[in-house]
């Protein structure tokens, strides 16, 4: 029968997933993706394949493909699949995600392929969607390392993730850039990064409502100002409070919250 006949056969699905590890790039087609989606589950081996090929330049399923797929989804859609898988990602040395973090953080040199760094940077930035603090922290440090070796990554990632509706992701992206500036406050980096931080965060009507994001971007700008590397056209006053962000409006009134709390027994310990 067709794929529907075999979709629930674990042995067939596992054999197909395993074959993807050894398949040549040119052998991946739309049909391959169709079959993969048919066998797709939340099991570790399925997710591991996505991470394995993410840093493969020229691979049709690499990080750029992953980014296009995730960026097209809403945050609830990503949370229902991608984030759940991230949160259960093992942090041991044998795991592909952990190896990607370790390589990005500690194995960089002047000879490292910039295309590979870019692909790894995309995947690491999507790791920020996780609510696993350890994973987010390690991925942030790893992205900082990549930015130190490849300064162009900050601007490229800001363009890629400009329309992503997840402040968890964006705040860590700018935090990683600020970290790179603190570790390596070189003139060109400070000049370029402060310009990017200003453009992406402050030179707009709707300044993002994340305190961490604002603080990281402001830190980059202030560091450039301190070292006399801030571009002349960057208006520092726009980067400091108060901002013109939209007022946060809560749909639940205080009276309604008190009613819910009383019903739940807020004045009782047991």
């Amino acid at each position: 029968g067709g794929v529907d006949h075999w979709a629930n056969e674990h042995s067939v699905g596992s054999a197909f997933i395993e074959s993807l590890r050894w398949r040549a790039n040119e052998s991946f087609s739309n049909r391959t993706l169709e079959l993969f989606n048919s066998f797709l589950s939340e099991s570790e081996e399925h997710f591991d394949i996505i991470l394995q090929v993410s840093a493969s330049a020229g691979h049709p399923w690499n990080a750029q493909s992953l980014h296009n797929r995730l960026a097209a989804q809403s945050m609830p859609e990503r949370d229902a699949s991608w984030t759940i898988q991230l949160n259960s990602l093992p942090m041991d040395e044998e795991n592909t995600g952990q190896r990607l973090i370790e390589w990005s953080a500690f194995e960089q040199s002047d000879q490292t392929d910039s295309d590979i760094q870019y692909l790894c940077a995309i995947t690491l930035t999507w790791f920020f969607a996780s609510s696993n603090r350890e994973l987010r922290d390690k991925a942030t440090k790893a992205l900082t390392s990549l930015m130190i070796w490849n300064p162009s990554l900050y601007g490229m990632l800001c363009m890629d993730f400009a329309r992503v509706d997840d402040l968890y992701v964006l705040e860590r992206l700018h935090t990683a850039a600020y970290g790179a500036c603190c570790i390596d406050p070189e003139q060109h980096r400070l000049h370029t990064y402060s310009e990017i931080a200003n453009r992406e965060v402050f030179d707009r009507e709707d300044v993002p409502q994340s305190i961490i994001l604002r603080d990281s971007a402001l830190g980059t700008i202030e560091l450039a100002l301190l070292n006399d590397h801030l571009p002349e056209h960057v208006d520092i006053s726009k980067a400091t409070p108060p901002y013109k962000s939209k007022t946060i409006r809560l749909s639940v009134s205080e009276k309604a919250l008190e009613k819910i709390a009383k019903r739940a027994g807020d004045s009782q310990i047991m």
Side-chain angles (χ1 to χ4, degrees):
V3 65
D4 291 339
H5 179 75
W6 301 102
N8 296 320
E9 291 288 338
H10 178 75
S11 59
V12 176
S14 295
F16 174 75
I17 296 300
E18 183 62 26
S19 73
L20 298 177
R21 303 180 193 275
W22 317 108
R23 189 180 294 240
N25 288 1
E26 59 271 17
S27 296
F28 283 80
S29 63
N30 291 334
R31 176 61 173 167
T32 311
L33 182 60
E34 179 186 348
L35 291 172
F36 178 78
N37 289 331
S38 298
F39 291 119
L40 190 60
S41 71
E42 293 182 4
S43 67
E44 184 179 333
E45 62 177 359
H46 291 71
F47 191 55
D48 192 66
I49 286 292
I50 297 298
L51 297 183
Q52 278 191 30
V53 302
S54 67
S56 179
H59 196 289
W61 291 9
N62 66 20
Q64 289 177 301
S65 174
L66 174 66
H67 174 75
N68 292 336
R69 187 162 67 252
L70 293 176
Q73 297 176 347
S74 65
M75 185 166 64
E77 290 173 328
R78 290 191 300 269
D79 284 347
S81 55
W82 172 255
T83 304
I84 289 176
Q85 292 171 318
L86 280 179
N87 287 345
S88 60
L89 196 66
M91 298 305 294
D92 57 86
E93 295 181 358
E94 300 302 317
N95 179 265
T96 301
Q98 179 64 17
R99 291 202 303 270
L100 186 151
I101 289 173
E102 294 288 326
W103 180 85
S104 299
F106 304 115
E107 302 295 332
Q108 303 306 300
S109 71
D110 292 331
Q111 285 72 47
T112 307
D113 190 323
S114 61
D115 290 338
I116 303 300
Q117 290 175 326
Y118 173 52
L119 293 173
C120 289
I122 292 174
T123 304
L124 289 172
T125 304
W126 277 115
F127 278 7
F128 300 153
S130 172
S131 57
N132 182 329
R133 179 65 179 271
E134 181 183 4
L135 175 61
R136 283 162 55 80
D137 287 349
K138 288 185 175 181
T140 304
K141 294 175 182 177
L143 183 57
T144 292
S145 174
L146 288 177
M147 287 183 178
I148 289 173
W149 287 95
N150 187 347
S152 65
L153 289 175
Y154 184 35
M156 295 167 69
L157 292 172
C158 282
M159 290 181 62
D160 290 338
F161 286 83
R163 298 186 180 278
V164 171
D165 60 339
D166 191 341
L167 288 177
Y168 254 31
V169 172
L170 299 177
E171 69 185 25
R172 286 299 182 118
L173 169 56
H174 291 284
T175 298
Y178 179 40
C181 289
C182 291
I183 296 171
D184 180 33
E186 180 265 331
Q187 177 178 351
H188 179 70
R189 181 190 303 280
L190 291 179
H191 185 279
T192 304
Y193 278 31
S194 61
E195 184 175 36
I196 295 171
N198 179 68
R199 181 186 69 234
E200 296 296 324
V201 180
F202 300 114
D203 192 18
R204 48 193 284 183
E205 289 297 322
D206 56 334
V207 176
Q209 296 173 335
S210 166
I211 295 177
I212 295 176
L213 193 160
R214 292 172 174 175
D215 192 56
S216 296
L218 176 58
T220 299
I221 292 172
E222 289 183 329
L223 193 58
L225 179 64
L226 178 65
N227 288 273
D228 199 27
H229 299 321
L230 187 68
E232 292 183 2
H233 64 272
V234 173
D235 185 356
I236 188 66
S237 65
K238 285 187 176 181
T240 54
Y243 303 109
K244 296 181 180 180
S245 303
K246 295 179 181 178
T247 302
I248 298 177
R249 298 187 180 278
L250 302 178
S251 59
V252 180
S253 66
E254 185 175 350
K255 185 177 181 179
L257 284 175
E258 290 177 353
K259 185 177 181 180
I260 294 172
K262 185 176 181 180
R263 187 166 62 245
D266 70 320
S267 61
Q268 300 176 3
I269 296 176
M270 299 293 289

